[in-house]
Structure formats: structure tokens, C-alpha cells
Amino acid sequence: GAVVSQHPSWVICKSGTSVKIECRSLDFQATTMFWYRQFPKQSLMLMATSNEGSKATYEQGVEKDKFLINHASLTLSTLTVTSAHPEDSSFYICSVSPPAGQGPNEQFFGPGTRLTVL
Amino acid sequence: AQSVTQLGSHVSVSEGALVLLRCNYSSSVPPYLFWYVQYPNQGLQLLLKYTSAATLVKGINGFEAEFKKSETSFHLTKPSAHMSDAAEYFCAVSEGYGQNFVFGPGTRLSVLP
């Protein structure tokens, strides 16, 4: 399957600081990337859809000013958690889906980033 | 709107026994259905997918699933469980190419020696 990388894999930060998570699509150019959040023992919840060159589409209840998404290139999307608080501690996972005709209809997931806010 | 339910948040089987993980979905259009496996602190790995071709889908690691439209189900099975199968399993539905996925709540599979 296609390779999707995330960096960092694990980050611990103090409350009030901002954290940037990178998601890279290594095998194809991705016009769309998805960001999910997973709390312990729970399923993945879609946070936002990241569109290259345009504003991200956020799911209901996700604060766009708190979770800043930048999809500046076809291979990189970043999620910045601004003014992080302990309740933002979670496992953040990105995924990419190949453009139509350039790969299988499935999502390829990154390895995830575990964020712990103290 | 799409939704996915997975009956049983935790399933335990003995090594060598049949594995059956249940998934039911709802979708307003013919769905694409997926099963993913997640090991602790890792991302998701695709086990298999249904995209309107054969209703019985074979995946990796000996897993297979059958799409039953009349039952709106896509249950995952494996004839003989291995210890290495212990993980979290997620069923997901998508309404089309490039559309976001909706995940079920997940089922944790434990395999007992």
C-alpha cells in the first residue's frame, strides 16, 4: 500500500503551547487528506478534510481556530493544535486517498501522532 | 448519512477457533465497505474492502468478509485465530471514491492460548 508518514510520532507539551503535526503522502500526490482524532479505547472521528490550495472543511464541533490545517502542497498537510490543553491529548491520524484513476479506492493511514498535553 | 455499528466491543476467542466480527452499516447510496486493523499505538492497516464487485471479499492474513445487502452487513471472519490477530478492528463505510470514511466504534479481539 501507499506510504503515509507523520511527524512527530509522539509529542508531550505544556498546556498553552502549540503543536504542529505533519502528514506526508510519499507515493502519490494527494489533493485531499483527512485528519482524524482517536481517544483511548474509542473509534476514529473525522476532524477535517484538508484540501490542497484551499481552506479545510471541518466537521461539526471541531474548532477551526484551534485546529489549524494547512495543505500547502500535494504531498504535505499540517495540523496545528493551538493553545493545547489536556483535553486535546489524543491520537491524531491522517489519511490520504489517491486521486481518481491514480490508485485504489481506499484510504491510506499514517502511523499516528500521540499528543500528550500536561 | 452513513453510519456503522459493530456488535460487541470486545470479542475473545481461543487460538485456532473461528473469528467472527460483526459490522452493520447504513448508507443512502451503494456503499464501499472496509475492514481495518489497528495494533496498539499504530495507524490503521487495510484488511479488505468491498467496492461493488464480488460480495465475498478475501483479504490479508486469512480474513474474509461477505457483503449482504439484504442484511446491510459486512461481517469479518477468519477460520482459525492466531495469537497475532489480537488487535482492534474497525469497520468503515464510504459513499464514494475520495469521500471520507465513517468508522464503526471498533471491536477489540483477544485471542486466548
Side-chain angles (χ1 to χ4, degrees), chain A residues 4-6 8-9 21-23 33-39 42-48 69 77 79 90-96 107-115, chain B residues 36-45 90 103:
Chain A
V4 179
S5 70
Q6 280 186 243
S9 57
I21 302 170
E22 294 185 349
C23 175
M33 294 184 177
F34 301 96
W35 285 97
Y36 295 86
R37 180 168 53 184
Q38 184 181 32
F39 291 108
Q42 294 188 28
S43 187
L44 281 74
M45 296 300 294
L46 181 66
M47 298 176 66
I69 292 174
S77 176
L79 168 68
S90 188
F91 195 51
Y92 292 86
I93 304 175
C94 71
S95 72
V96 301
Q107 287 194 14
F108 298 95
F109 290 84
T113 297
R114 181 158 303 284
L115 171 62
Chain B
Y36 285 88
V37 61
Q38 184 182 35
Y39 296 97
N41 293 311
Q42 294 187 27
L44 275 69
Q45 179 182 10
F90 293 96
F103 286 88

Side-chain angles (χ1 to χ4, degrees), chain A residues 13-96:
Chain A
C13 68
K14 293 182 179 181
S15 185
T17 61
S18 294
V19 175
K20 179 185 284 187
I21 302 170
E22 294 185 349
C23 175
R24 294 182 184 273
S25 174
L26 302 181
D27 288 343
F28 55 82
Q29 295 181 327
T31 54
T32 302
M33 294 184 177
F34 301 96
W35 285 97
Y36 295 86
R37 180 168 53 184
Q38 184 181 32
F39 291 108
K41 300 187 185 301
Q42 294 188 28
S43 187
L44 281 74
M45 296 300 294
L46 181 66
M47 298 176 66
T49 302
S50 171
N51 302 297
E52 189 269 336
S54 64
K55 292 183 178 181
T57 303
Y58 290 82
E59 295 300 299
Q60 190 174 8
V62 178
E63 300 175 58
K64 62 179 68 176
D65 294 330
K66 180 169 184 63
F67 299 99
L68 302 179
I69 292 174
N70 185 301
H71 193 156
S73 78
L74 289 172
T75 60
L76 174 64
S77 176
T78 61
L79 168 68
T80 301
V81 183
T82 63
S83 186
H85 291 286
E87 57 265 31
D88 298 323
S89 299
S90 188
F91 195 51
Y92 292 86
I93 304 175
C94 71
S95 72
V96 301

Side-chain angles (χ1 to χ4, degrees), chain B:
Chain B
Q2 311 158 81
S3 67
V4 178
T5 58
Q6 292 181 240
L7 184 62
S9 60
H10 184 202
V11 170
S12 291
V13 300
S14 297
E15 190 173 19
L18 171 72
V19 175
L20 170 61
L21 304 181
R22 300 178 185 275
C23 171
N24 289 87
Y25 70 92
S26 69
S27 177
S28 57
V29 300
Y32 294 104
L33 295 160
F34 305 81
W35 274 100
Y36 285 88
V37 61
Q38 184 182 35
Y39 296 97
N41 293 311
Q42 294 187 27
L44 275 69
Q45 179 182 10
L46 179 69
L47 281 176
L48 48 81
K49 62 181 178 181
Y50 166 77
T51 55
S52 75
T55 57
L56 181 62
V57 181
K58 294 185 183 299
I60 62 171
N61 301 339
F63 285 95
E64 63 180 39
E66 186 172 10
F67 171 67
K68 292 187 177 180
K69 183 178 179 180
S70 61
E71 299 178 7
T72 61
S73 70
F74 190 56
H75 302 329
L76 181 71
T77 61
K78 181 175 181 177
S80 177
H82 292 168
M83 297 296 290
S84 60
D85 294 327
E88 189 84 20
Y89 291 80
F90 293 96
C91 182
V93 63
S94 171
E95 289 191 339
Y97 203 104
Q99 299 298 309
N100 67 284
F101 285 20
V102 173
F103 286 88
T107 297
R108 182 162 60 92
L109 175 66
S110 296
V111 181
L112 308 174

